[in-house]
Amino acid sequence: MKLQEEKPSGVSAKDVAELIGLDRSNVSRYLNIMYKERKLIKAEGRPVLYKAMTSAPPTASKRKGKEAYFNSLDKLAGSKQSLSLPIEKAKAAIIYPPKGLHTLLLGETGVGKSLFAEQMYEYAKETGVLGSDAPFIRFNCADYADNPNLLTAHIFGVKKGTYTGADKDKDGLLKQADKGILFLDEVHRLPPQGQEMLFTYIDKGCYRPLGETDKLYYAEVRIIAATTENPSSYLLQTFSRRIPMVILLPNLSERSLSERYSLIDAFIKEESRRVGKSIYINKNVIISLLLYDCPNNIGQLKSDIQLSCAKAFLNYKAAGSSYLIINQCDLPNHVRMGMMNIKEHRKEIDELLSSAQDVLKFSEEDEPPLQLTHENEGIGEDFYSIIEQKIDSLKTIGMEDTDINEILNLDIKSHFQKYIGEISQRFIKDEITNVVDGNVLKAVEEILALAKANLDREYDEKIYFGLSFHLERSIERIRRGEKIYNPKLNFIRINYEEEFLFAMKMAKLIDRRFNIEIPVDEIGYITMFFTADPLKIAKEEMPKVKVVVAMHGRSTASSMAEVVNNLIGAEYVVPIDSPLTMKPESIYKIARDKILELEQGEGVILMVDMGSLTNFGLMIAEETGINVQTVDMVSTLMVLDVARKAMMGYAIDEIMDSLSGRSCDISTKEEKPDKKNIILTVCFTGDGSAKRISDMINKKIGNRNVKAMPISIIDKKSLRERVAEMEKGHNIWAIVGTVEIKMRGIPFISAIDILTPEGDKRLRDIIDEGELYYKMGDSLDEHMIHISGEKIIKDAKNFIMEAEERLETKISKDVKVGMTMHICFLLDNMLSGAITKPFDGLSHFKDRHSSDMDIVKQSLKDIERDYRVSIGDDEIAYIVKLFKENGNTVQ
């Protein structure tokens, strides 16, 4: 009290530390404990000030003016934003006369229901609705869901002799919570008998312990119940009728980035107080924490931050650093992925962190607005001390720092597994219901529970996930009468005898459940899921179809494969990029060698875009004898579908059949209904020459995806107007006439040349090229974000024709395809704000090819104007290089 007399506004941790000669961080910790025990008043600010509690907390009638010290609900992050309505409803539930309202909290795992209930309890004490010593009893109904009688007995109590072992009367949680709050988490796990007993208490204020038949017991308890269940379920509808106040808490994804930052700030400051040191954090770490996919909400965010702090603390102590800093390498992998989302949130991040330095400091002296740790959660006050003790003991025996880090990192990961791992498991089980039949999932849960009991072995979510997919697939095959063959059946039966016998029993269970008869070969496959290392056997004994993607461009295939592999969670799709500067023969050898390396006897699906790549599959199959099936004009979604089925064990013929008979023949695509592909034949004499020329051309080209169409024109001016009009409903691939006509983007062939072998070849080349561009526009629409695939194809084609003429060179069809795709993706990326890749040796290249650079730049003017972009010298140099290395000089 001496210090408080000297400083009536409040005393800081530093003041106390200097007076009694203790470390300030330890003093701060003890002051916070006293504040939680309601022995001190705490005023927020810098520094945080404390005052002794000289009297009981103010009653409801006296609380005005004191709420600056006491209002736990308003201190919750988001109290003025996404939590404003839930908080208002919570306050109303607490102070509603005469005794408040029972409350049901709804929300997904990790949204903070437990914390919200605890703050409702604190608010009730702060407003005088509850006494300062009122109990808050927390109980998770899921902990006893497998034993309904025991669960009911915990809540309501039990009379002596009700069941074996009940040798005396035992009070329940309702009795313990008298004059306070009982928080029932996962309340939907209450058995029917427990529900009726709880509803009786809610309705009448009285209850009977389990086994009691005569006497009624009374208690004054407010019920706060919480659940993750859908509000439309029968159970919750029943609760809603009994519990008048229902509060829905939002997911973390529904809350603003500023709210999320407040939570991050509070969690890190909490760890700083535990450690007793300031924590420095790289700005990119904060961005990752703000933007990563956190499906299990605040609970997962907190655990991920604690794990990162623990790893950083280990590095700090083991290396003897002078400061504790969290870098990207300290984050879990899934958190680091948050940086990939920065493009979509750049403006919000800039506004939120506009004044932040590259490294942010979170000080132990800065109290967060709310104490966020429950006693039974998180890493605990002494966790960092345990790390220090282990470091000291390992150093004492002479262990190197790197070895210490490796060992203790494993310890840290193990410690957090029960927090992060359990959340992850629930999430995966929730997600898998979207793709696997519910009856199959129930059977798998039952089977794994029996396996745990019979084989005395734990099975994690990977086994649950894998067995669910495998079993659904097997049931389909058995019902269709497909043969299942296991080449290592005898090996599995001999080496895994116990697991095999158990699998036979489970096969009978599956037979009854799904009305099938599982063959013994399939029992061998099921056995593998129950072994100590099923993944090892699966890799050795379950060959699968392999998937290879080959596409024109420097990184087109790699980019598509990366997206697909990220989505399926495995490096399954193998990319082969086909740079325009590399000869087809070289690409063929790379593809052949890669397929030889990958193939496991089940075949390979080669997914390509177009051009010469479409022939590789057949050529490799003939040369190697491997079953190579080709799919052309592929999109990301197609690759994803094929890869998913291949991973699940589909046969190559099944996968190809699922593509609805798509052909790798690039000339078989049906004509677009909206625009017809035409070759215009033109004459100015009106003597019918155009008609005769078109008949001749149609006879020559046969059944191709284009037709010759005659028009008679008075002069060239009317021709331009007519062509412009016809382009609205047609794709004009060429003009053939008796007089030379130059139209931008449309090649011209003299009618006389059509009769020569050279002219005939040029016509067919134009048709082949037209079909390629036609299909590319169709396919690229799926990939373009900001522009139309059909329009950019036409514009790119026009540019290439113009550049060829000005540079006096001709490039091959495959190079044109690759260059067109490059221009399409270049423009779309530029409109998305992507940064252009630098051209190596740009200055030297510009000096050698300045005139060519100017020509290409001039030819790109129309594209730059139409798409409102400025194409830099790096990209222009790359395009010039393609022309120079792949072009043939025009004689």
Side-chain angles (χ1 to χ4, degrees), residues 368-434:
L370 179 67
Q371 187 70 22
L372 293 164
T373 302
H374 302 307
E375 291 180 3
N376 62 338
E377 294 183 5
I379 62 176
E381 295 286 347
D382 61 346
F383 181 74
Y384 295 102
S385 300
I386 293 172
I387 293 177
E388 288 186 278
Q389 292 168 10
K390 289 184 177 180
I391 290 173
D392 292 340
S393 64
L394 293 173
K395 281 187 174 181
T396 301
I397 63 175
M399 186 172 287
E400 296 292 330
D401 289 347
T402 54
D403 296 329
I404 292 173
N405 274 24
E406 185 174 345
I407 290 172
L408 293 189
N409 260 318
L410 291 174
D411 274 359
I412 291 170
K413 289 178 181 177
S414 174
H415 180 86
F416 280 90
Q417 187 174 6
K418 64 180 180 178
Y419 301 111
I420 299 175
E422 288 174 1
I423 287 175
S424 174
Q425 183 175 7
R426 288 195 293 271
F427 173 65
I428 288 174
K429 287 188 177 183
D430 289 341
E431 287 297 301
I432 197 175
T433 57
N434 296 324

Side-chain angles (χ1 to χ4, degrees), residues 159-188:
K159 292 295 292 181
K160 177 180 177 181
T162 301
Y163 52 76
T164 304
D167 51 3
K168 60 180 181 180
D169 290 350
K170 183 178 179 181
D171 291 336
L173 298 178
L174 275 175
K175 178 70 178 293
Q176 297 174 35
D178 191 25
K179 301 294 189 296
I181 288 177
L182 173 60
F183 174 54
L184 297 175
D185 202 1
E186 302 290 343
V187 71
H188 60 276

Side-chain angles (χ1 to χ4, degrees), residues 744 860-871:
R744 187 172 187 273
L860 286 167
K861 285 294 184 184
D862 289 341
I863 286 179
E864 289 184 315
R865 182 193 66 243
D866 290 348
Y867 295 90
R868 298 180 182 179
V869 298
S870 178
I871 300 175

Side-chain angles (χ1 to χ4, degrees), residues 8 20 89 91 94 112 148 190 208 246 263 316 415 500 526 533 545 565 568 743 748 756 809 825 837 888 890:
I20 60 179
K89 294 175 77 172
K91 289 179 178 178
I94 292 297
L190 271 180
R208 283 192 172 96
V246 178
L263 291 166
Y316 157 72
H415 180 86
F500 185 81
I526 294 174
D533 191 1
V545 174
N565 287 335
I568 64 178
M743 303 284 290
F748 173 81
T756 68
T809 187
F825 284 109
K837 182 179 179 181
N888 296 313
V890 177

Side-chain angles (χ1 to χ4, degrees), residues 33 246 588 604 613:
I33 292 172
V246 178
Y588 172 78
V604 176
L613 297 176

Side-chain angles (χ1 to χ4, degrees), residues 817-833:
V817 168
M819 189 181 292
T820 300
M821 294 183 69
H822 171 77
I823 292 170
C824 293
F825 284 109
L826 165 65
L827 291 174
D828 203 54
N829 289 338
M830 290 180 71
L831 292 171
S832 298

